[in-house]
Amino acid sequence: EAGVAQSPRYKIIEKRQSVAFWCNPISGHATLYWYQQILGQGPKLLIQFQNNGVVDDSQLPKDRFSAERLKGVDSTLKIQPAKLEDSAVYLCASSLTTYEQYFGPGTRLTVT
Amino acid sequence: GDSVTQMEGPVTLSEEAFLTINCTYTATGYPSLFWYVQYPGEGLQLLLKATKADDKGSNKGFEATYRKETTSFHLEKGSVQVSDSAVYFCALSDGGSQGNLIFGKGTKLSVKP
């Protein structure tokens, strides 16, 4: 079974630029999550999708972050414009049940 | 709100040593508890879980018991190997339909041969 795929793996941008990350969940997983993991901290949930719909985006900085899930499968997370404090690893996860989330390898973003 | 506190790292052990990584939680309800592991260059993987008080989760020689009275979920392994070197995250889920995970800060483990 293929795991959660993410791209790119690494991205370096300057502040005020925009960036987008892509995630392809495990086939059949209705729930998809985006987490932000700042160096030295645990992952923090940004947004959760159930199929096409947003379940929880309470911690998503909506002035600069946006996310969508196309046809209930792939998802894209965008940052525009980026700030220095957005430097982090962005993790995508998917799940079939509420008890087990499967994580992708993450995208490491550096904002200079 | 709900939160998870883990012991500070890094932890350095010799091969075959006993491992304990402490984890305590604060939650208003009855959460499920998890340990995730992150090997270098890889994504998070679920190591073990426990969904109710007194449950013991176990996997790959690791164990953790859900202690409601002490609000703890300490990770243990009797004999660590070099291949166990990784970052370990304790997490809780509020158990609702959303299944949102709240993570601790992680504990880096290095095992020396």
Side-chain angles (χ1 to χ4, degrees), chain A residues 10-49:
Chain A
Y10 306 92
K11 189 73 176 179
I12 301 174
I13 61 172
E14 295 181 352
K15 60 183 178 185
R16 290 187 290 273
Q17 287 187 325
S18 63
V19 64
F21 314 126
W22 173 82
C23 172
N24 180 242
I26 292 173
S27 177
H29 283 195
T31 308
L32 186 147
Y33 310 81
W34 282 102
Y35 290 86
Q36 180 191 58
Q37 185 179 11
I38 293 173
L39 186 65
Q41 298 184 21
K44 182 186 81 171
L45 180 70
L46 291 176
I47 188 167
Q48 178 188 355
F49 291 94

Side-chain angles (χ1 to χ4, degrees), chain A residues 2-7 21-37 43-51 69 72-77 89-107, chain B residues 36 43-46 98-101 103:
Chain A
V4 176
Q6 289 188 248
S7 68
F21 314 126
W22 173 82
C23 172
N24 180 242
I26 292 173
S27 177
H29 283 195
T31 308
L32 186 147
Y33 310 81
W34 282 102
Y35 290 86
Q36 180 191 58
Q37 185 179 11
K44 182 186 81 171
L45 180 70
L46 291 176
I47 188 167
Q48 178 188 355
F49 291 94
Q50 181 78 15
N51 296 310
R69 189 174 184 193
V73 182
D74 292 5
S75 179
T76 302
L77 177 70
V89 176
Y90 290 85
L91 297 167
C92 180
S94 68
S95 70
L96 195 58
T97 72
T98 57
Y99 290 123
E100 187 158 357
Q101 296 183 24
Y102 294 83
F103 285 80
T107 296
Chain B
Y36 278 81
L44 287 161
Q45 301 174 26
L46 178 64
Q98 296 175 4
N100 293 344
L101 288 171
F103 287 88

Side-chain angles (χ1 to χ4, degrees), chain B:
Chain B
D2 295 354
S3 65
V4 173
T5 302
Q6 286 182 241
M7 64 184 284
E8 296 278 332
V11 174
T12 302
L13 295 173
S14 297
E15 209 165 21
E16 299 184 4
F18 185 85
L19 169 71
T20 299
I21 300 178
N22 291 337
C23 171
T24 57
Y25 67 90
T26 301
T28 53
Y30 300 94
S32 296
L33 301 174
F34 305 83
W35 277 100
Y36 278 81
V37 59
Q38 189 171 36
Y39 297 103
E42 298 183 18
L44 287 161
Q45 301 174 26
L46 178 64
L47 181 59
L48 52 85
K49 65 179 186 280
T51 58
K52 61 183 187 295
D54 298 326
D55 268 3
K56 177 186 282 188
S58 61
N59 186 25
K60 299 181 181 179
F62 290 89
E63 293 183 340
T65 301
Y66 188 149
R67 301 287 189 199
K68 187 170 181 291
E69 63 276 14
T70 55
T71 62
S72 66
F73 193 55
H74 304 322
L75 182 69
E76 296 181 337
K77 187 175 185 182
S79 176
V80 294
Q81 306 300 312
V82 172
S83 56
D84 294 326
S85 297
V87 181
Y88 292 82
F89 291 92
C90 185
L92 69 81
S93 170
D94 62 10
S97 60
Q98 296 175 4
N100 293 344
L101 288 171
I102 296 170
F103 287 88
K105 291 187 175 182
T107 303
K108 183 176 182 179
L109 170 67
S110 296
V111 181
K112 306 298 184 185

